[in-house]
Amino acid sequence: ENISDFSLNITDCTQVVVPEEVFFTVAAAGILENLLVLIAVVRNKNLHLPMYFFICSLAISDMLGSLYKTLENIFIILCKMGYLTRRGDFEKKLDDAMDSMFILSLLGSIFSLLAIAADRYITIFYALRYHNIMTLRRALVILAIIWTFCAGSSIAIALFSYEAATVIPFTILFPLMMFFILCLYIHMFLLARSHAKKIASLPTSTVHQKTNMKGAITLTIFLGVFLCCWAPFVLHILLARFCPHNPYCACYMSIFHVNGTLIMCNAIIDPMIFAFRSPELRSTFKKMFCCAR
Amino acid sequence: MSALRLISNRTSQQALSNSDYTWEYEYYEYGPVSFEGLKAHKYSIVIGFWVGLAVFVIFMFFVLTLLTKTGAPHQDNAEPSEKRFRMNSFVADFGRPLESERVFSRQIAEESRSLFHFCINEVEHLDKAKQSHKGLGLESNIHFQEVPRSSGMFEEDLNCLTKFNIPNFVNTEQNSSLGEDDLLISEPPIILESKSVMQSSHRILD
């Protein structure tokens, strides 16, 4: 059969190989880390807050992404060893299920990031009423709605992925959400800046004025990591749909495994930039590990 | 002929390295792709994509840096030390140890026109906060989350605090960075609002 890479031309783009050990290590690290975050939030009553629930939702979607990759590799190994048949119905359904798990992970990540940004936005702009607007119950309802929607869409996309129409909304959703999240954060920044100016103009202020880089760095890291980890894969899907026979597109698609590894790296980095920033969560971790010893 | 099956297909092919293997029932055939006569480098999409992404992220960083620039001139340092106060805007300064002195003054509260939330959180003050939130003087750090969480209690606390005219304080240490430090990582902040700026707060909030 035919793989474009295996034609005789020596200038072909061959598949870039990522060793399976690397795959499994990265995936396992991602799963473990996010599991720890979930356990810490569940165990510590102080962390039963809407903000941490949204962080948990992000951890779950990261876990699903890594799990998908792990399961896929395991099944391929099983097929290699002959335990699974190649064209069976069961394998086909399994593959469908895994595809939908992966899309669920992507959609879950996007919506969790959106929920976290919206929560922070409400915290800042509706601060007096935050406690009434974002009750625990509402946060759980919002999460339930998000996950139901993601599950439904992922199943629909996986089932109807042969239609051209499903790829387009999927790839439009991605930049749209990023843009929306960016707008929310920029608005927060503008408010912070005006506040800082007001404080600085107080006669009693002893403030040193300088550019504060940390906020900019933090936000750039958030969005930059998400973009760099997911955008390559989204582009892959687009190219596979629209120009599979083009040599340039084929060369891009040959780095598919690197893109998959990037997604798993995202699962490792996300807890570091969201969950581990909270001192409460960090102290919960320390307690967990100290007690375990 | 789905993109997703295509993906699974590629993965399986790579893993089995060169064997003719079809994982998927629906197998997406590329057909031979001709690499002859390419005008640009064959990895041009890859390079172009990553360069574009890097440029975008750097551009975004510069825009955000510009946004966080406070731009106000350095204030004169003539006031007496007792007027020095801490302002902590938006930020839970994670990782930085809490300073020992926190001084709020009523006067400053009334002068302050800006409404804010500041994150006043340090975990080690949890107990202090719980004990002292009722008889709240003008100096304490309260962690928002450690205050009892039911909204009824919160309202009560808020009333209690506003009675004392606790200002929105914004934290600036001499040696600390100002303003939007860890803006985005904060714990949900507590808003302590002085009566005099209630109106401005509504204006700003809505």
Side-chain angles (χ1 to χ4, degrees):
Chain A
E1 322 202 43
N2 41 9
I3 291 133
S4 58
D5 312 345
F6 295 169
S7 63
L8 300 170
N9 197 333
I10 52 173
T11 61
D12 276 0
C13 299
T14 52
Q15 273 275 353
V16 173
V17 174
V18 174
E20 280 178 14
E21 293 81 19
V22 172
F23 248 48
F24 277 121
T25 314
V26 173
I31 293 175
L32 277 175
E33 208 179 345
N34 288 293
L35 206 57
L36 278 177
V37 169
L38 284 174
I39 292 174
V41 171
V42 164
R43 278 176 64 157
N44 187 348
K45 294 271 185 281
N46 286 343
L47 299 176
H48 288 187
L49 291 169
M51 177 180 134
Y52 289 106
F53 286 174
F54 294 134
I55 288 180
C56 278
S57 160
L58 186 65
I60 290 175
S61 34
D62 286 337
M63 243 176 22
L64 281 177
S66 299
L67 210 61
Y68 161 78
K69 275 285 167 196
T70 316
L71 285 177
E72 193 185 44
N73 267 21
I74 290 177
F75 283 123
I76 288 169
I77 291 173
L78 285 178
C79 271
K80 248 202 265 186
M81 292 161 56
Y83 291 121
L84 291 176
T85 60
R86 294 168 185 184
R87 290 182 188 260
D89 267 346
F90 172 70
E91 282 74 19
K92 180 171 177 284
K93 290 199 179 110
L94 213 53
D95 192 65
D96 271 343
M98 294 202 309
D99 285 343
S100 61
M101 188 196 289
F102 183 68
I103 299 176
L104 180 65
S105 158
L106 173 57
L107 288 176
S109 285
I110 294 179
F111 280 106
S112 299
L113 282 178
L114 184 64
I116 290 174
D119 179 63
R120 286 176 178 162
Y121 188 85
I122 296 176
T123 295
I124 287 172
F125 286 93
Y126 297 93
L128 285 175
R129 293 178 274 155
Y130 173 80
H131 219 51
N132 289 330
I133 295 177
M134 188 64 78
T135 57
L136 259 184
R137 203 158 155 232
R138 269 194 203 153
L140 290 171
V141 164
I142 288 172
L143 282 176
I145 293 175
I146 286 177
W147 281 98
T148 314
F149 174 73
C150 292
S153 328
S154 71
I155 292 174
I157 291 178
L159 285 178
F160 296 111
S161 51
Y162 51 84
E163 307 270 348
T166 53
V167 175
I168 296 177
F170 182 68
T171 48
I172 286 179
L173 182 74
F174 182 78
L176 213 64
M177 298 294 250
M178 294 297 300
F179 180 69
F180 187 54
I181 291 174
L182 196 63
C183 286
L184 284 180
Y185 279 118
I186 285 179
H187 196 191
M188 287 192 254
F189 263 41
L190 289 174
L191 189 63
R193 179 169 75 158
S194 70
H195 174 61
K197 276 187 181 153
K198 284 179 190 165
I199 294 300
S201 62
L202 288 176
T204 53
S205 160
T206 58
V207 165
H208 288 285
Q209 299 302 314
K210 60 183 182 186
T211 303
N212 188 322
M213 301 274 282
K214 252 183 129 186
I217 292 176
T218 306
L219 184 58
T220 309
I221 290 176
F222 281 175
L223 294 178
V225 161
F226 186 79
L227 264 182
C228 290
C229 293
W230 286 99
F233 175 76
V234 174
L235 184 62
H236 179 105
I237 290 185
L238 265 180
L239 293 182
R241 163 57 54 203
F242 291 115
C243 66
H245 300 290
N246 187 313
Y248 298 112
C249 299
C251 274
Y252 181 84
M253 293 192 282
S254 68
I255 62 167
F256 172 69
H257 286 281
V258 178
N259 297 342
T261 313
L262 278 175
I263 291 177
M264 292 194 293
C265 289
N266 182 57
I268 296 179
I269 297 175
D270 268 349
M272 291 183 203
I273 60 182
F274 283 96
F276 292 172
R277 295 275 217 149
S278 153
E280 182 74 31
L281 207 96
R282 281 203 299 263
S283 69
T284 312
F285 273 119
K286 284 179 197 155
K287 281 183 210 155
M288 270 167 49
F289 286 119
C290 290
C291 289
R293 277 178 203 156
Chain B
M1 310 239 269
S2 71
L4 297 160
R5 275 147 183 75
L6 164 69
I7 293 157
S8 304
N9 195 19
R10 292 292 236 161
T11 309
S12 63
Q13 280 152 9
Q14 184 274 328
L16 298 171
S17 48
N18 293 337
S19 65
D20 288 350
Y21 171 84
T22 58
W23 167 246
E24 250 320 278
Y25 177 73
E26 285 168 292
Y27 178 71
Y28 189 89
E29 291 199 6
Y30 277 129
V33 176
S34 153
F35 280 87
E36 318 233 320
L38 292 184
K39 290 181 193 149
H41 188 262
K42 59 183 178 169
Y43 281 109
S44 54
I45 291 189
V46 179
I47 297 169
F49 171 74
W50 282 104
V51 167
L53 201 60
V55 164
F56 176 72
V57 171
I58 291 172
F59 168 73
M60 194 170 65
F61 174 69
F62 278 124
V63 166
L64 294 173
T65 310
L66 283 174
L67 285 177
T68 60
K69 219 173 184 174
T70 55
H74 174 62
Q75 296 297 319
D76 210 11
N77 204 359
E79 57 278 6
S81 54
E82 71 253 19
K83 288 229 175 162
R84 184 171 162 275
F85 65 101
R86 269 183 158 219
M87 305 187 290
N88 193 351
S89 78
F90 284 110
V91 178
D93 229 335
F94 296 123
R96 267 202 353 210
L98 238 200
E99 306 293 330
S100 48
E101 46 168 16
R102 299 169 183 102
V103 180
F104 310 146
S105 69
R106 218 176 233 208
Q107 210 176 5
I108 291 169
E110 277 156 14
E111 284 169 4
S112 160
R113 315 285 264 120
S114 53
L115 198 218
F116 265 53
H117 16 278
F118 34 88
C119 299
I120 333 175
N121 170 28
E122 282 300 330
V123 176
E124 56 262 34
H125 287 270
L126 166 58
D127 294 337
K128 243 195 251 174
K130 276 187 176 152
Q131 287 157 18
S132 66
H133 76 272
K134 283 297 185 185
L136 189 66
L138 295 176
E139 20 190 317
S140 65
N141 268 8
I142 306 170
H143 186 222
F144 181 63
Q145 294 160 359
E146 301 353 320
V147 170
R149 267 169 225 105
S150 60
S151 24
M153 269 305 277
F154 174 75
E155 249 76 52
E156 190 188 334
D157 290 334
L158 197 58
N159 291 336
C160 178
L161 296 171
T162 51
K163 263 189 260 175
F164 290 97
N165 270 347
I166 296 181
N168 313 316
F169 61 99
V170 169
N171 176 20
T172 59
E173 284 303 305
Q174 289 285 347
N175 51 357
S176 75
S177 45
L178 166 72
E180 316 79 24
D181 226 9
D182 274 312
L183 164 66
L184 308 166
I185 320 298
S186 59
E187 310 284 340
I190 192 172
I191 286 67
L192 302 180
E193 185 59 17
S194 70
K195 282 184 194 164
S196 60
V197 296
M198 250 340 161
Q199 250 106 43
S200 61
S201 80
H202 283 297
R203 225 179 32 238
I204 292 172
L205 285 184
D206 303 318

